[in-house]
Amino acid sequence: MSIVIAVIAGISLAVTAVNLILTAVLFRQLGVFVMGTARGANDSGISVGRRLPELQLLDARTGEVVDPHDGRPKLLFFGSTTCRECARIYPDIKHVEDRYEIPVVHFIFGRDVMDVTGYADKRGISGPVVSATEEIAHAYDVEVNPFAFVIDGRGVVTAKGLLNGRDQLIDVLAPIKEINFAEENEEAVRDHEVIATR
């Protein structure tokens, strides 16, 4: 009888472990990097109309200070080296950055600075790259990725949200620029998407 109980207990523990692993994988695929909250993705991030805190941010590649409050509207993009959705949206962000000259500050979560800079180079990211930390995530109240803020020249949030696709990118950028992924640009964006999936 005790063997049967031991086998049942072992199976129960194994099922629980598998469920925990699957839950962790699901959260990672959705881009969640800060757990322990019941808030939805749309509630993440500093509220529209509030100013971002002034943090000491450094470009992971150059060591130079990155100042989101430099007087220019910009996109602040939060991604991760392990987030597939982040990799898929980078070509569209690069298109917006290059074609519309919208400054982008990339906050990338990774194992360490080398992981972050290597990932940024592989993705062809040309703007400032901040090696994101839990402290930065907490200060900006960001709980999911890919996530973005659009800020005005004073650092006030004009839009924010989860950024899993082109439509969401167009919506979040609406306060500063109307974005159009015209047909003639589709091939270039697709070429970047091929690189992003490698």
Side-chain angles (χ1 to χ4, degrees), residues 16-112:
T16 301
V18 168
N19 282 336
L20 288 173
I21 291 168
L22 290 175
T23 300
V25 168
L26 175 62
F27 276 122
R28 178 69 263 152
Q29 290 305 104
L30 292 174
V32 175
F33 59 84
V34 178
M35 297 189 195
T37 179
R39 291 192 321 164
N42 291 334
D43 293 331
S44 188
I46 291 173
S47 301
V48 171
R50 287 191 47 212
R51 193 168 191 265
L52 291 179
E54 294 194 32
L55 303 177
Q56 180 71 26
L57 303 172
L58 298 177
D59 189 316
R61 292 187 285 206
T62 66
E64 295 177 7
V65 172
V66 176
D67 182 11
H69 306 84
D70 66 359
R72 298 179 301 162
K74 61 183 56 66
L75 175 72
L76 277 60
F77 178 74
F78 286 79
S80 166
T81 60
T82 59
C83 169
R84 288 185 184 179
E85 292 304 320
C86 302
R88 288 188 187 109
I89 196 69
Y90 275 122
D92 290 333
I93 291 174
K94 182 161 179 47
H95 172 76
V96 161
E97 191 173 19
D98 294 346
R99 181 176 174 91
Y100 294 95
E101 298 180 350
I102 295 173
V104 179
V105 178
H106 300 269
F107 291 81
I108 302 175
F109 293 86
R111 289 186 312 273
D112 52 34

